[in-house]
Amino acid sequence: MGQLFSTDGIVYRFMTTTGNIILATILWIIGCIPVVTIGTSTAALYYTVVKSVRKDVGYVHSEFWRGYKLNFRKGVLATVLLLAMAVILGTEMWLVLENGVEVSRIWYSLSGLIILLMALTVLYLFPVMSRFDMKLSRLCMLSFVMSIRFWYITLALAAGLAVTVAAQLFLLPMPLVLLTPGLWCYASSYLVERAMKAYMPEPRTQEDQEQPPNWYD
């Protein structure tokens, strides 16, 4: 029984992990307050959950703000572009429905397809942003390719996110919003990491192989 509650016991590890997830979620909420930083904060949340919660490297608060600073510009730009595209496409679809023009159904369907592809790409965009140092255009392209290549992971992520959001809105008590986002990030990272691993560089020399492993290995 003593081992169960020791610092290496399952109860202590569970409480520590849960506490770290809650802290990361609170920081994520704070980081999202300006709205245009939602993408930045989401990338920082993924970075922190994988590095500090799963891999136990560094401290949650310091790693979150480190990830926030590293992805600030690209995260803000991505958020602004995504919001702008969603508003434009959503407005276009609404106007088509209101006008009821027969020939406009093609544009309506095309807009719906674009929104769907955007949504699937976003499932990977901010985790990819937290891991790879690329221009935003390349990050978007890589995320899109991953969403198609690993379609089975994409479907699982989309279904899991939908269930999580619905559960939080209609079933779970509101205070659990301090846990749900970070918990979803923690659980989904096991799927996302499988996809991203295919694009991580392999050590090419004996000297590289002798270096200490990266935290994401």
Side-chain angles (χ1 to χ4, degrees), residues 7 9 18 35 65-66 70 72 74 76 113 126 134-135 153 166 172 180 186 190-191:
T7 55
T18 302
V35 179
W65 294 118
R66 171 180 166 80
L70 288 173
F72 183 79
K74 286 183 287 190
V76 169
L113 177 61
F126 299 111
M134 300 177 181
K135 293 182 178 179
I153 292 179
L172 301 176
T180 307
Y186 182 90
Y190 285 92
L191 294 174

Side-chain angles (χ1 to χ4, degrees), residues 139-211:
L139 290 173
C140 291
M141 181 57 67
L142 177 58
S143 300
F144 174 72
V145 170
M146 289 171 64
S147 71
I148 301 300
R149 177 181 176 183
F150 300 99
W151 59 268
Y152 47 94
I153 292 179
T154 303
L155 291 177
L157 290 172
L161 181 59
V163 170
T164 301
V165 172
Q168 180 60 67
L169 291 176
F170 303 110
L171 296 176
L172 301 176
M174 188 53 64
L176 279 183
V177 74
L178 298 179
L179 174 65
T180 307
L183 186 61
W184 160 250
C185 187
Y186 182 90
S188 65
S189 69
Y190 285 92
L191 294 174
V192 178
E193 290 295 306
R194 290 182 59 187
M196 287 202 292
K197 189 175 182 180
Y199 297 92
M200 297 302 298
E202 296 289 343
R204 297 182 178 179
T205 65
Q206 184 65 29
E207 182 179 353
D208 291 334
Q209 294 176 356
E210 293 174 355
Q211 295 297 319

Side-chain angles (χ1 to χ4, degrees), residues 18-199:
T18 302
N20 285 335
I21 290 175
I22 292 174
L23 176 57
T25 302
I26 293 173
L27 293 173
W28 173 74
I29 293 173
I30 293 172
C32 288
I33 290 175
V35 179
V36 294
T37 57
I38 291 175
T40 301
S41 195
T42 302
L45 176 65
Y46 186 88
Y47 175 86
T48 304
V49 166
V50 176
K51 184 175 182 179
S52 295
V53 181
R54 280 190 53 186
K55 304 297 183 180
D56 196 25
V57 177
Y59 298 97
V60 169
H61 60 89
S62 58
E63 294 302 334
F64 180 88
W65 294 118
R66 171 180 166 80
Y68 197 91
K69 292 177 182 178
L70 288 173
N71 298 289
F72 183 79
R73 291 184 179 180
K74 286 183 287 190
V76 169
L77 180 57
T79 304
V80 171
L81 290 176
L82 287 169
L83 289 176
M85 291 182 67
V87 170
I88 292 172
L89 292 171
T91 302
E92 178 185 278
M93 294 175 69
W94 178 77
L95 290 174
V96 169
L97 283 176
E98 285 294 308
N99 293 331
V101 181
E102 197 73 22
V103 72
S104 296
R105 290 183 179 179
I106 298 176
W107 294 106
Y108 178 78
S109 300
L110 181 60
S111 297
L113 177 61
I114 293 174
I115 291 176
L116 175 62
L117 294 177
M118 282 175 51
L120 297 180
T121 301
V122 169
L123 289 173
Y124 295 90
L125 178 58
F126 299 111
V128 167
M129 183 181 293
S130 75
R131 182 64 50 81
F132 298 95
D133 184 15
M134 300 177 181
K135 293 182 178 179
L136 181 58
S137 57
R138 292 190 63 192
L139 290 173
C140 291
M141 181 57 67
L142 177 58
S143 300
F144 174 72
V145 170
M146 289 171 64
S147 71
I148 301 300
R149 177 181 176 183
F150 300 99
W151 59 268
Y152 47 94
I153 292 179
T154 303
L155 291 177
L157 290 172
L161 181 59
V163 170
T164 301
V165 172
Q168 180 60 67
L169 291 176
F170 303 110
L171 296 176
L172 301 176
M174 188 53 64
L176 279 183
V177 74
L178 298 179
L179 174 65
T180 307
L183 186 61
W184 160 250
C185 187
Y186 182 90
S188 65
S189 69
Y190 285 92
L191 294 174
V192 178
E193 290 295 306
R194 290 182 59 187
M196 287 202 292
K197 189 175 182 180
Y199 297 92

